[in-house]
């Protein structure tokens, strides 16, 4: 035992030699002999250890065991040291009062106890478990594989205790402590979101959420809360709306680092966009919720699209799938269209317009009042139609907006522009009036039940209203796109529609650009074929004049 | 310096040393001749030597001189100009170890130890392992006994150094008259002075080569010609020749081409069975070869040259051949953009007993060699079929130690009487060879699940055994410093590759061979050893034909590229080196692992190298870019050494074995090292 202990020491003192000599019965060892032996003992021990390390390497291990030392002794034709080959690493204890003396804990065992002890459990037999470490170079996230970020952590936390106690100590994960104040704050916000009784207070809460610093520790709780409540409260329209407001406030807060939680948040948000049913009453204006969420989604994409490269592509994939699945409800289609539209005109052009024609042919029977007797369905169909029209219109408008030197907008023109928009409506009404005339009884039903179109007792106005919202919402959404002055320009363009003469001088320049942009031209022709005149309000007058 | 003065010094020296009779003789000789002796003229023009002699006559036995001289030289080197510093610092290590060994050699154990400990930190970073070895040397007899120390004292170190640094060093040594240091430097360092600016990279691999005269020998050996090409008429060759082999007509041609060859092969096989000599076989082969060479000339040039086998190769049965061809045809093309899939076999409940693992060429069989002398073979294909078997993972490892059908899932092979250090499958997977600490190699049949042959020949534990790429032959290496070539049908080895170099009288015989690997054309084997070198041996002549120097620690694993052009070797520190076999130069060191590299494997077409390490990762390296970039590197001198493509961490499982299947699926195996809770 003592001999084992000396391996740890850098040099063998002669006292050790004397002690060992005594222990094997040599009492008359001269001090000189001990002094001479000491360096040689050290050399031999080192030699043995060197061999032992080689044995360890050949056993493809990185920890030295007693059996390696035995193997090394065997290689030198020496008697192995018996009694240490337990397989596992040996635990050494420090001798009290000595700096560098260690011994193994070798307790006395009563023979009777050993005999009477029940048989130990048979050791488990060796087995092989097979799994994919990588599939075509990518590591699948299965329990058999090491999670990537955890890889380094244990190495840092490991504390090697070479003396007493366990060899390795792995620290437990640190508990996350929330201050009392934060807990209260969270509870209050959650209550407000759930209760829906105090809208003004809730608004203030939202402001606080959007601006207060120090809320970061609550983010995981909020994301969890939102995910839970959305999945549970799909029938509760107001709750959903409140939750989406909370999401927006969290996104707006500059002190919150929300990125790591986006993956938890996104499903809830997308649910509020494309779920089949949001809320359980007719009065619930889930269209609004969808519009709001669509803008939220666009906001997220804009902010985190750079860091999460796959974010937008995954999102658009989900939305396009929802849109192109004819089995999905029209409400879901609406949400998908709004979501895509909010992502910008490029997305619309690539994903919506390319599928526009087949989709409209599918939608046609729904729109036709004679074929679709279900009032509700028909309403939804018109809503979807409107959303599509708006998306397509905005897209084409943005395409055509490239033309540079249009006159700068002025507030007075803007006001006039609004009037113009209404002026274009009769175009639409033409088509919708005849379709809506023979469904007046049911129309009234909706009109009374629906709270959104409050001042619309007139049945004839309904369909107009249906087609209208998209147009009215042109303003907020195009300003959302925030490329500065889009909205005024569009208004301006519409204003110009009335006074073609003013811009006719630019025809030559525009003509040139127009030719360059054949794509837009074709698109416009296509859209016109599909939509008829209804696309025209979206088209700046100059271009329209060219087109016509 | 006067000749009288010289004589005076010599006299003083001799008297001091106690060579009284020699001193007397010298005195007599001086009286007889009038001073114009040959020895004095010799010393005239050599100031270094006179100084050296003078130093001998001075306080010869003072051990503190070493310490003083070294520490002065050291502080001078550390304070030298930054541009030349790294070159001058290279000189310090050889001076350090020789100072230490001189001190030990003169019996100043205590001073030697103090000297060693005070300066050891300087060199630990690069030379830790050598220092650990030397640390134990304490009395003069150890110097004699320890081969490493002996070889160090008898050889010179080559150091590349620029002209200016060299001048600086000499100037310093002369100015300070530190003759002791000068003596050591003269005795043990061989400067390779080059003109121009010093090399910018401070860690140039070739800059310092420790074993100097050995280096010359190695250079000499590396001049020998080797034919690294693939075997002509190998399956790969045939596949290349006949293109994709998809159309039947083409295939028919290929067969008719090889028809006569096959016939003669069969004939030779029959002869072999009757036990006729190898020579006859060789004649047969040679006859074929000439015929084939003629045909070869007409065929289109392929990238790797073709060589003829020097061993009579076993004949494959046609259906085995067909299946291999089928595999080769279906091989997935891998590159730096097309990564392989990796299937991992985890050994659980090994209780720290798994010493080695091996995977058959198709990945269906896995063998483990254990420290309790047993070998266990799993048939993964069967387990897969059983469905509920081990594939389902943890559930069946927790509380049952028998398979789903109430029996063990593996075949237990018992026969060895010591830890099993290596196991290898024959290419078709019908045999397993195992080597053990009981000095034997055993051949097992996987069909009969029984031991067939026990090969006794080594005198010490057999560390590694490897089947040749065509089966039948195998190579082994052992602690007895030999590598041996065997054939399955003989219990005596065919060749013994002894560790020393036969043609030169060099004392370096510390080649304790650690691992062995066959060249794809079967004409060569490579051995990695604890002296940090890798050697290539000609199987037919038993000669060492290449020595690869560059590793800084024990070489643990070897792999040959499928085209036979390159070799990869992995060492204890985690460094992998890629070697060009023909030039014996390191193409690129691949750094990335931080622990022992247990296993290496090239992908089927040689574009990727996989490495498995004790740091619980499998890494993929881009071979093509590694080899290409060095050409550019040679031009502009910059080195970007990391060309690691992927790292796959395992769940605390050191990777013991790796194998690319013929279809380029990568199999890996290792033992879960967490203690079972």
């Amino acid at each position: 035992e003592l001999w084992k202990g000396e391996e740890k020491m850098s040099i063998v003192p002669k006292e050790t030699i004397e002690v060992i000599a005594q222990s094997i019965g040599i009492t008359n060892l001269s001090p000189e002999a001990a002094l001479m032996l000491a360096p040689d003992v050290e050399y031999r021990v080192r030699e043995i250890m060197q061999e032992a390390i080689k044995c360890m390497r050949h056993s493809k291990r990185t920890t030295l065991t007693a059996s390696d030392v035995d193997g090394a002794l065997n290689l030198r034709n020496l008697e192995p040291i018996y009694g240490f080959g337990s397989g596992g690493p040996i635990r050494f204890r420090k001798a009290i009062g000595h700096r560098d003396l260690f011994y193994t804990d070798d307790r006395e065992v009563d023979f009777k106890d050993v005999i009477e002890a029940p048989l130990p459990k048979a050791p488990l037999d060796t087995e092989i478990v097979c799994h994919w470490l990588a599939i075509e170079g990518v590591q699948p996230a299965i329990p058999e594989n090491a999670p990537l970020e955890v890889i380094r952590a244990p190495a840092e936390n490991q504390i090697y205790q070479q003396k007493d106690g366990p060899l390795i100590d792995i620290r437990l994960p640190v508990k996350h402590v929330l201050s009392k104040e934060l807990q209260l704050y969270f509870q209050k916000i959650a209550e407000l979101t759930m209760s829906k009784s105090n809208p003004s207070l809730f608004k203030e809460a939202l402001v606080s959420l959007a601006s207060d610093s120090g809320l970061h520790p609550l983010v995981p709780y909020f994301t969890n809360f939102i995910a839970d409540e959305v999945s549970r409260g799909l029938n509760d329209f107001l709750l959903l709306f409140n939750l989406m407001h909370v999401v927006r406030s969290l996104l707006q807060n500059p002190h919150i680092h929300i990125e790591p939680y986006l993956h938890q948040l996104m499903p809830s948000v997308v649910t509020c966009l494309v779920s089949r049913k949001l809320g359980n009453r007719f009065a619930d204006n889930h269209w609004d919720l969808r519009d709001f969420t669509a803008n939220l989604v666009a906001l997220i994409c804009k902010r985190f699209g750079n860091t999460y490269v796959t974010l937008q592509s995954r999102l658009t994939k989900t939305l396009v799938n929802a849109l192109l699945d004819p089995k999905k409800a029209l409400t879901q289609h609406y949400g998908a269209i709004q979501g895509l539209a909010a992502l910008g005109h490029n997305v619309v052009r690539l994903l919506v317009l390319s599928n526009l024609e087949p989709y409209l042919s599918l939608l046609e029977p729904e729109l036709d009042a004679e074929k679709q007797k279900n009032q509700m369905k028909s309403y939804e169909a018109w809503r979807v139609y409107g959303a599509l029209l708006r998306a397509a219109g905005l897209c084409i408008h943005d395409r055509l907006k490239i033309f540079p030197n249009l006159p700068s907008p002025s507030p007075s023109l803007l006001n006039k522009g609004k009037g113009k928009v209404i002026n274009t409506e009769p175009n639409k009404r033409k088509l919708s009036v005849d379709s809506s005339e023979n469904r007046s009884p049911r129309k009234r039903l909706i009109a009374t039940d629906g709270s959104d179109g409050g001042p619309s007792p007139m049945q004839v106005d309904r369909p107009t209203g249906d087609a209208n919202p998209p147009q009215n919402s042109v303003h907020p959404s195009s300003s959302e796109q925030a490329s500065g002055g889009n909205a005024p320009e569009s208004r301006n363009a519409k204003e110009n529609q009335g006074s073609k003469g003013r811009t006719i001088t630019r025809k030559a320049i525009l003509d040139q650009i127009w030719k360059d942009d054949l794509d837009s031209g074709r698109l416009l022709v296509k859209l016109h074929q599909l939509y008829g005149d209804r696309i025209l309000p979206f088209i700046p007058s100059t271009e329209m004049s060219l087109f016509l | 310096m006067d000749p009288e003065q010289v004589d005076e010094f010599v006299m003083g020296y001799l008297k001091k040393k106690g060579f009284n009779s020699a001193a007397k003789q010298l005195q007599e000789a001086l009286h007889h001749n009038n001073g114009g002796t040959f020895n004095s003229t010799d010393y005239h023009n050599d100031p270094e030597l006179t100084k050296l002699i003078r130093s001998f006559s001075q306080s010869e036995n003072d051990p503190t001189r070493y310490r003083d001289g070294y520490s002065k030289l050291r502080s001078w080197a550390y304070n030298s100009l930054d541009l030349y510093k790294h070159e001058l610092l290279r000189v310090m290590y050889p001076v350090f170890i020789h100072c230490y060994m001189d001190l030990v050699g003169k019996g100043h154990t205590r001073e030697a130890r103090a000297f060693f400990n005070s300066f050891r930190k300087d060199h630990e970073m690069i030379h830790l392992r050598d220092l650990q070895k030397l640390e134990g040397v304490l009395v003069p007899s150890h110097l004699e006994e320890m081969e490493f120390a002996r070889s160090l004292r008898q050889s010179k170190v080559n150091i590349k150094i620029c002209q200016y640094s060299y001048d600086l060093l000499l100037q310093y040594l002369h100015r300070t008259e530190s003759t002791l240091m000068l003596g050591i430097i003269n005795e043990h360092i061989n400067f390779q002075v080059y003109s121009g600016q010093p090399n910018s990279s401070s860690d140039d691999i070739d800059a310092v080569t420790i074993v100097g005269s050995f280096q010359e020998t190695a250079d000499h050996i590396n001049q020998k010609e080797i034919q690294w090409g693939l075997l002509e008429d190998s399956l790969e060759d045939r596949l290349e020749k006949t293109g994709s082999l998809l159309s039947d007509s083409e295939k028919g041609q290929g067969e008719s081409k090889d028809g006569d060859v096959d016939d003669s092969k069969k004939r030779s096989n029959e002869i072999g069975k009757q036990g006729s000599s190898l020579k006859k076989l060789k004649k047969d082969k040679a006859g074929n070869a000439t015929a084939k060479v003629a045909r070869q000339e007409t065929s289109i040039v392929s990238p790797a040259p073709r060589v003829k086998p020097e061993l009579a190769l076993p004949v494959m049965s046609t259906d085995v051949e067909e299946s291999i061809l089928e595999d080769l045809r279906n091989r997935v093309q891998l590159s730096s953009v097309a990564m392989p899939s990796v299937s991992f076999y985890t050994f659980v409940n090994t209780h720290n007993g798994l010493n080695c693992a091996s995977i058959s060429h198709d990945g269906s069989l896995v063998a483990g060699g254990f420290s309790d002398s047993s070998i266990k073979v799993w048939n993964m294909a069967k387990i897969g079929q059983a469905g509920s078997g081990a594939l389902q993972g943890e559930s069946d490892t927790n509380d049952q130690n028998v398979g789903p059908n109430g029996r063990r899932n593996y075949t237990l092979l018992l026969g060895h009487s010591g830890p099993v250090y290596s196991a290898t499958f024959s290419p078709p997977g019908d045999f397993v060879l195992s080597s053990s600490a009981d000095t034997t190699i055993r051949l097992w049949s996987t069909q009969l699940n029984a031991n067939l042959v026990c090969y006794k020949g080594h005198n010490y534990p057999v560390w590694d055994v490897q089947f040749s790429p065509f089966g039948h032959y195998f190579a082994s290496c052992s602690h007895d410093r030999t590598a041996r070539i065997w054939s399955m049908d003989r219990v005596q080895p065919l060749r013994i590759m002894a560790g020393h170099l036969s043609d030169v009288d060099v004392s370096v015989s510390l080649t304790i061979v650690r691992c062995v690997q066959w060249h794809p054309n079967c004409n060569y084997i490579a051995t990695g050893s604890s002296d940090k070198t890798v050697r290539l041996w000609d199987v037919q002549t038993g000669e060492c034909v290449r020595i690869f120097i560059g590793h800084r620690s024990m070489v643990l694993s070897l792999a040959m590229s499928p085209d036979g052009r390159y070799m990869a070797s992995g060492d204890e520190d985690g460094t992998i080196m890629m070697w060009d076999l023909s030039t014996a130069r390191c193409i690129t060191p691949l750094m990335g692992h931080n622990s022992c590299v247990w296993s290496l494997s090239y992908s089927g077409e040689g574009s990727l190298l996989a490495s498995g390490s004790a740091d619980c990762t499998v890494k993929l390296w881009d071979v093509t870019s590694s080899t290409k970039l060095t050409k550019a590197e040679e031009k502009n001198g910059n080195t970007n050494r990391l060309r690691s493509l992927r790292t796959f961490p395992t769940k605390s499982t050191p990777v013991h074995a790796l194998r690319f299947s013929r279809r380029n699926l990568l199999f890996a195996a290792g033992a879960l090292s967490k203690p079972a809770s």
Side-chain angles (χ1 to χ4, degrees), chain A residues 47-108:
Chain A
E47 213 174 36
I48 297 288
M49 292 320 290
Q50 195 182 311
E51 293 292 309
I53 288 169
K54 282 174 189 170
C55 286
M56 171 186 84
R57 292 280 181 246
H58 282 290
S59 302
K60 297 213 162 58
R61 268 184 282 109
T62 42
T63 38
L64 198 71
T65 63
S67 61
D68 292 327
V69 179
D70 286 350
L73 290 169
N74 262 329
L75 284 179
R76 298 258 153 188
N77 285 325
L78 296 167
E79 187 95 356
I81 307 163
Y82 299 104
F84 293 95
S86 63
I90 301 169
R91 282 179 188 177
F92 289 99
R93 290 183 173 278
K94 202 173 174 180
I96 299 158
H98 296 268
R99 206 160 50 86
D100 287 333
L101 190 59
F102 297 90
Y103 65 97
T104 49
D105 194 14
D106 200 5
R107 260 170 286 138
E108 265 180 40

Side-chain angles (χ1 to χ4, degrees), chain A residues 10-11 35-36 38-40 42-44 46-47 50-51 53-62 74-77 87-89 122-139 143-148 151-152, chain B residues 113 133 135-136 138 142 145-146 339-352 354-355 366 370 376 378 380 390-391 393 397-398 401 408-410 421 460-461 463 479 514 554 572 596 598 614 618 646 648-651 656 665:
Chain A
S10 60
I11 211 162
L35 212 56
M36 291 296 280
D40 201 53
E42 190 194 341
Y43 178 74
R44 303 295 153 197
R46 280 177 190 279
E47 213 174 36
Q50 195 182 311
E51 293 292 309
I53 288 169
K54 282 174 189 170
C55 286
M56 171 186 84
R57 292 280 181 246
H58 282 290
S59 302
K60 297 213 162 58
R61 268 184 282 109
T62 42
N74 262 329
L75 284 179
R76 298 258 153 188
N77 285 325
L124 299 176
D125 202 1
T126 312
E127 265 308 330
I128 284 192
V129 184
C130 178
H131 74 271
W132 288 108
L133 185 66
I135 296 170
E136 290 178 356
V138 181
Q139 246 186 325
E144 287 88 349
N145 281 334
L148 274 174
I151 269 301
R152 297 286 160 221
Chain B
R113 176 54 65 105
K133 271 186 208 164
E135 204 176 5
L138 291 172
H142 293 158
E145 202 173 321
M146 189 182 187
M339 294 286 167
S341 298
V342 189
S343 176
F344 201 93
Y345 297 135
T346 313
F347 288 79
V348 293
N349 305 325
T350 54
H351 311 289
N352 275 333
L354 185 74
N355 283 355
V366 184
F370 290 82
K376 293 169 184 173
W378 282 262
M380 296 312 285
L391 281 171
T397 59
N398 286 340
N401 53 4
R408 282 197 213 102
N409 275 327
Y410 56 83
Y421 284 123
Y460 274 103
W463 298 129
H479 190 73
R514 297 288 151 186
M554 194 161 114
E572 225 178 342
C596 309
W598 294 137
V618 175
R646 289 287 153 82
F648 303 123
T650 64
K651 217 173 185 179
H656 286 189
L665 180 63

Side-chain angles (χ1 to χ4, degrees), chain A residues 204-364:
Chain A
E204 275 169 39
L206 286 180
V207 172
S208 151
L209 267 180
S211 56
D212 279 1
S213 57
L215 295 183
H216 189 70
L218 285 177
V219 176
Y221 295 89
F222 274 121
T223 45
N224 227 347
F225 168 70
I226 290 161
D228 279 2
E229 291 305 320
V230 166
S231 59
R232 205 185 310 157
L234 273 180
N235 290 326
D236 194 339
F237 166 74
L238 255 179
L239 173 68
L240 290 176
F241 220 135
N242 284 351
L243 285 170
M244 287 304 110
H245 273 110
V246 171
V247 172
R248 198 170 76 159
S249 298
L250 287 176
L251 281 170
Q252 281 167 344
N253 194 325
H255 309 286
I256 285 179
H257 181 63
I258 205 164
E259 274 167 87
Y261 306 98
L262 266 187
H263 68 280
Q264 269 180 302
L265 219 47
M266 278 316 276
S268 319
V269 175
V270 175
T271 304
C272 285
L273 186 62
V274 294
S275 178
R276 176 182 286 267
K277 209 165 167 246
L278 297 167
N280 57 353
R281 291 176 300 153
F282 284 119
D284 296 338
N285 189 355
H286 62 92
W287 310 108
D288 271 1
L289 176 58
R290 287 177 207 273
D291 292 350
F292 181 84
T293 320
N295 288 330
L296 201 58
V297 164
L299 181 73
I300 292 172
C301 276
K302 215 162 73 192
R303 252 185 70 183
F304 303 106
N306 291 330
T307 35
Y308 285 97
V309 187
T310 54
L311 179 70
Q312 178 150 355
S313 59
R314 271 162 66 191
L315 183 71
T316 46
K317 211 168 142 193
T318 317
L319 294 178
V320 168
N321 282 345
L323 178 63
L324 296 183
D325 188 350
K327 287 190 194 81
K328 292 254 160 72
L330 285 167
T331 47
Q332 284 168 291
H333 290 168
Y334 176 84
I337 293 163
Q338 289 295 83
L340 288 168
L343 288 174
H345 63 269
N346 269 333
V347 176
V348 174
R349 188 165 54 88
L350 289 172
L351 297 171
V352 180
L353 297 190
S354 55
N355 299 312
L356 193 60
E357 206 165 345
Y359 185 79
L360 278 179
S361 65
L362 275 175
L363 195 64
E364 202 64 47

